[in-house]
Amino acid sequence: MTERGAIAEVCQRMVADRLVVGTAGNVSSRDGDVVAVTPTGVPYASLCPEDVGLYALDGTPVDARLKPTSELPLHLAIYAARPDVGAVVHTHSTAATALSCLVPQIPAVHYYLGLFGGSPRVAPYVEYGTDALAAGTVSALEDRTACLLGNHGAVAVGKSLSEAYERAVYLEWVCEVALRVLSSGMIPRLLDGVELDDATARLATYGQR
């Protein structure tokens, strides 16, 4: 499964792009009824494709020599609820984590929020690795391709691993903008619903299709 190698590469990019520290965060991709997902507690610098485990959609190991990420229930819950999702990227990026402590939803500071189907919501804090966190994440992702996890981090999804990762990078940038706006002490000019809906529609056809 070539996605194992792609996941290992994405994990190293997450470190380089400062979306995670240490062994934080996790990544998965789906190929039919099999999910490739990162193992728990393995430094990304030494992560190799063979370390990435393969699991059935019910969590049964298919080919896994290491224990999976503690957030395997979160990944599997997203795939069960969202047939359109082919990959999940979960980060602990600084701006997204900080903003998740302040707001229930990312304020409409930029039209890039349209990349996520609208302003991403913040799922309430729940202990990591639990079914409750998985359920809260699925709820926050309804009609969206990203969300924040309260006092925890961020999740971005996509049809492909490259799309999910790109969204994770854009999500962190928007969160950084929002933090700067909120810290200005001024009353911000936010996009209204019509403006954000227009941006969402336009961005859905952006680029080479």
Side-chain angles (χ1 to χ4, degrees):
M1 189 174 185
T2 59
E3 286 301 293
R4 293 170 117 170
I7 286 175
E9 290 179 5
V10 161
C11 288
Q12 291 165 9
R13 285 181 63 190
M14 288 200 303
V15 175
D17 292 338
R18 302 182 69 178
L19 297 182
V20 296
V21 293
T23 60
N26 32 80
V27 178
S28 73
S29 65
R30 175 180 177 175
D31 183 6
D33 294 332
V34 177
V35 173
V37 68
T38 47
T40 186
V42 176
Y44 293 134
S46 62
L47 185 70
C48 63
E50 292 75 20
D51 294 330
V52 177
L54 302 181
Y55 295 83
L57 292 174
D58 63 0
T60 302
V62 174
D63 181 8
R65 67 184 189 182
L66 300 174
K67 288 175 57 178
T69 171
S70 58
E71 299 295 6
L72 180 60
L74 180 151
H75 290 257
L76 296 179
I78 292 173
Y79 292 125
R82 295 282 296 272
D84 60 307
V85 170
V88 177
V89 174
H90 168 40
T91 74
H92 288 186
S93 50
T94 303
T97 303
L99 190 62
S100 78
C101 303
L102 299 172
V103 298
Q105 190 165 13
I106 299 178
V109 295
H110 198 279
Y111 68 83
Y112 274 173
L113 290 172
L115 292 169
F116 314 113
S119 181
R121 308 175 186 91
V122 180
Y125 175 78
V126 181
E127 185 178 3
Y128 75 88
T130 61
D131 290 338
L133 177 61
T137 303
V138 168
S139 179
L141 281 172
E142 184 177 357
D143 299 324
R144 298 288 189 273
T145 55
C147 71
L148 303 187
L149 308 181
N151 304 81
H152 183 154
V155 171
V157 302
K159 293 180 181 178
S160 65
L161 186 56
S162 60
E163 184 176 63
Y165 187 76
E166 182 180 64
R167 285 175 175 157
V169 172
Y170 274 109
L171 181 63
E172 176 65 3
W173 183 85
V174 172
C175 288
E176 175 65 26
V177 172
L179 280 176
R180 295 192 184 198
V181 169
L182 293 175
S183 66
S184 70
M186 302 176 66
I187 299 175
R189 191 276 181 195
L190 301 178
L191 301 180
D192 62 32
V194 173
E195 290 168 328
L196 190 51
D197 287 346
D198 177 67
T200 300
R202 296 188 66 183
L203 287 168
T205 58
Y206 176 77
Q208 303 298 322
R209 300 288 171 175

